[in-house]
Amino acid sequence: MKKLFSKLKTEVNFARAGEGHRLSEDTRSTSSNSGDSSQAVPPTRRGPTPTSQINAGQAAASRFSESQAKQKRVITGKVIRKTEHQSDLEPSAGVGAPGSAGNEDFVRFISPFESGTVVRPSEFIEHIEKYLLELEGIENSCLMIQSLTTDQQQINMACNILYKYINNIISNPEEDKYRKIRCSNKTFSEKVLAVKGTKQFVKAIDFEEVEIENEDGTELYFVMNNVDVNKLETAMKTLQETKPMERLLHRDRKVMMPGSVSQSSTTSENDGFFKVSAPELKRQQMRRTRDIEESQQLRTRAMREASAKPAFKSKYAVIRVKFPDSKILQGTFRSKETVADLKRFVYENINCEAAVFKLISTLGKSFDNDEATLHDAELAPCALLNLKWDENVQAQIRKEMGIKLGLK
């Protein structure tokens, strides 16, 4: 078989070499008279003239310039669209819009201990600590643990260590080593006592501070002399279920008469934000045009959801509602509150509960989805809405009750 393949290979090589001739034959005449086009000498190519070279260079440069300009237009268009989308959501520079990151000066919380008192966010913890320290018991100490420290991870770590202490005592009530905690213990001092309220909690479950002598002198311990398993189980359950003290947002209701300026410095500083300027109207119109174009494109669900989510998120929203008589009602809300909460606020401030109205944006958008959050409805951090009465209901109320609908 090997010899057969070798023979076939030799024959193929001879066939490629072409027709043979004798060594005594003169092959020069044959070569010179051959009509084979492969042996013909190609004609000499003429080089381009200087004029054609210049024209070709100019055409290439023109094509390159057009390509660069087109690419620049595409990139610039993407940047402009992104900037427009962000500018619709973020406050304008220099305005200091309410609800924006780092600007919560206008926000106030209702004091849970002093009737009629409102507190700044930066002062809230200090305010409630003053009152909680005067209270005793397991529930109050748990409330301190959950409310007086802002680092939730630190709170969870301290609670887990306390759970371990309590479980060890419940499982081994007769073991002295589990009923004694050295205050200088690194884990206890740095991870437990660092959280406000833990010391009060330890005392509330019947630990007592005792000085114990050892080789290095006296040292402070928390010691539990009497074990009440039911009390420990209740304390652990209470610590697990206690939530941070709720911060009730003060609505900061304001009513502005036509042509008047609010007396609140916070509001007057931000009046410009509520006025829709020509550039803002243009940006909003361009965004609507973009949304229509994108709705006609084939996109995945993930792409649609990503483009629908605003990149900027504010914690709070200041919303003004302009009535048909040009009076303006203003209130402060959390951005996670719903359109229903906004409408409830309006109902609380109008002179007839039977009234029916719609809230409409300056561009004519109606807010009919009561379950939508103010953030999702794009009403945060600030918005100016127009209130429109239902004409039929308005006429009926005026006829039967003699009431002209408006603010209280």
Side-chain angles (χ1 to χ4, degrees):
M1 183 64 70
K2 185 175 181 181
K3 291 181 179 180
L4 177 62
F5 279 115
S6 178
K7 184 177 180 181
L8 290 173
K9 186 176 180 180
T10 303
E11 292 177 355
V12 169
N13 290 335
F14 273 113
R16 289 178 178 175
E19 185 178 358
H21 59 273
R22 295 179 182 275
L23 295 176
S24 59
E25 292 179 356
D26 186 4
T27 59
R28 287 176 294 181
S29 59
T30 305
S31 301
S32 61
N33 296 329
S34 174
D36 189 357
S37 62
S38 62
Q39 300 295 328
V41 178
T44 305
R45 182 178 178 181
R46 294 179 60 188
T49 62
T51 305
S52 62
Q53 286 181 335
I54 293 172
N55 293 336
Q58 290 177 346
S62 177
R63 288 194 300 270
F64 179 76
S65 300
E66 290 178 0
S67 175
Q68 291 291 98
K70 184 177 179 181
Q71 185 178 4
K72 185 177 181 180
R73 285 196 299 271
V74 172
I75 295 174
T76 306
K78 290 181 180 178
V79 173
I80 290 175
R81 284 189 173 187
K82 183 177 180 182
T83 306
E84 289 169 355
H85 182 62
Q86 291 177 345
S87 61
D88 290 337
L89 300 169
E90 297 179 1
S92 304
V95 174
S100 59
N103 184 15
E104 298 179 0
D105 293 340
F106 68 98
V107 177
R108 298 291 184 273
F109 295 123
I110 300 173
S111 170
F113 300 104
E114 297 179 6
S115 178
T117 301
V118 293
V119 186
R120 295 176 181 270
S122 59
E123 301 170 354
F124 185 78
I125 291 179
E126 182 181 354
H127 175 76
I128 63 174
E129 182 180 4
K130 179 176 62 176
Y131 291 92
L132 289 175
L133 287 174
E134 298 176 358
L135 305 175
E136 297 180 353
I138 293 174
E139 292 183 359
N140 291 318
S141 62
C142 292
L143 193 59
M144 291 175 65
I145 291 172
Q146 297 293 343
S147 304
L148 300 182
T149 303
T150 56
D151 189 343
Q152 189 60 46
Q153 186 176 359
Q154 189 178 10
I155 294 173
N156 294 338
M157 187 180 298
C159 290
N160 288 333
I161 295 172
L162 290 173
Y163 297 151
K164 186 176 180 180
Y165 287 152
I166 295 172
N167 281 323
N168 286 337
I169 296 172
I170 293 174
S171 302
N172 307 278
E174 303 299 329
E175 288 286 344
D176 291 341
K177 65 179 181 179
Y178 294 124
R179 294 189 285 113
K180 187 166 57 176
I181 305 172
R182 183 162 53 90
C183 294
S184 60
N185 178 276
K186 186 175 181 179
T187 300
F188 183 70
S189 61
E190 294 182 1
K191 297 182 179 180
V192 178
L193 293 181
V195 176
K196 294 180 179 179
T198 51
K199 186 174 182 179
Q200 288 81 355
F201 177 81
V202 170
K203 288 184 176 181
I205 58 175
D206 296 336
F207 274 99
E208 298 178 1
E209 284 185 285
V210 178
E211 288 187 352
I212 299 177
E213 293 186 2
N214 53 30
E215 297 178 355
D216 299 328
T218 59
E219 199 166 2
L220 191 63
Y221 282 79
F222 277 109
V223 179
M224 180 181 290
N225 295 318
N226 300 314
V227 177
D228 187 339
V229 174
N230 292 332
K231 186 175 183 178
L232 292 176
E233 290 176 346
T234 302
M236 187 162 60
K237 184 178 179 181
T238 302
L239 184 57
Q240 291 172 340
E241 296 177 352
T242 300
K243 303 297 181 183
M245 182 172 288
E246 184 180 3
R247 301 187 180 193
L248 297 175
L249 183 65
H250 184 238
R251 283 282 183 245
D252 195 20
R253 173 185 176 274
K254 291 182 176 67
V255 176
M256 285 154 274
M257 305 302 290
S260 67
V261 179
S262 172
Q263 298 300 318
S264 169
S265 60
T266 303
T267 306
S268 60
E269 287 173 1
N270 295 288
D271 279 346
F273 188 84
F274 293 94
K275 297 178 182 178
V276 182
S277 62
E280 288 172 336
L281 283 173
K282 183 178 179 181
R283 286 197 298 268
Q284 292 178 13
Q285 186 59 43
M286 292 179 67
R287 186 179 65 177
R288 282 192 169 188
T289 303
R290 183 192 67 235
D291 292 342
I292 293 173
E293 292 175 355
E294 290 180 349
S295 67
Q296 297 173 351
Q297 299 174 358
L298 292 176
R299 298 186 299 160
T300 63
R301 180 179 179 182
M303 292 171 64
R304 292 194 301 270
E305 290 178 350
S307 62
K309 289 181 180 178
F312 175 79
K313 187 168 183 178
S314 170
K315 289 183 179 180
Y316 304 100
V318 175
I319 299 178
R320 289 180 178 177
V321 179
K322 186 175 182 180
F323 284 70
D325 59 0
S326 296
K327 291 181 181 178
I328 296 176
L329 173 67
Q330 176 177 305
T332 304
F333 301 83
R334 284 188 169 90
S335 61
K336 65 181 180 182
E337 292 187 78
T338 63
V339 174
D341 295 320
L342 171 60
K343 291 181 178 179
R344 191 177 301 113
F345 171 71
V346 176
Y347 269 114
E348 292 171 354
N349 289 276
I350 59 178
N351 57 2
C352 183
E353 295 181 356
V356 178
F357 61 83
K358 279 191 174 183
L359 297 177
I360 303 172
S361 71
T362 53
L363 292 177
K365 177 184 177 182
S366 179
F367 298 90
D368 300 322
N369 183 8
D370 290 350
E371 296 181 358
T373 64
L374 300 180
H375 169 72
D376 293 338
E378 298 184 1
L379 296 176
C382 297
L384 174 61
L385 304 177
N386 294 313
L387 183 142
K388 183 179 180 181
W389 302 113
D390 183 292
E391 295 180 357
N392 295 329
V393 177
Q394 182 184 19
Q396 186 178 358
I397 291 174
R398 189 162 191 173
K399 180 180 179 180
E400 296 180 359
M401 305 174 65
I403 297 176
K404 182 181 179 181
L405 293 180
L407 285 167
K408 290 180 179 178

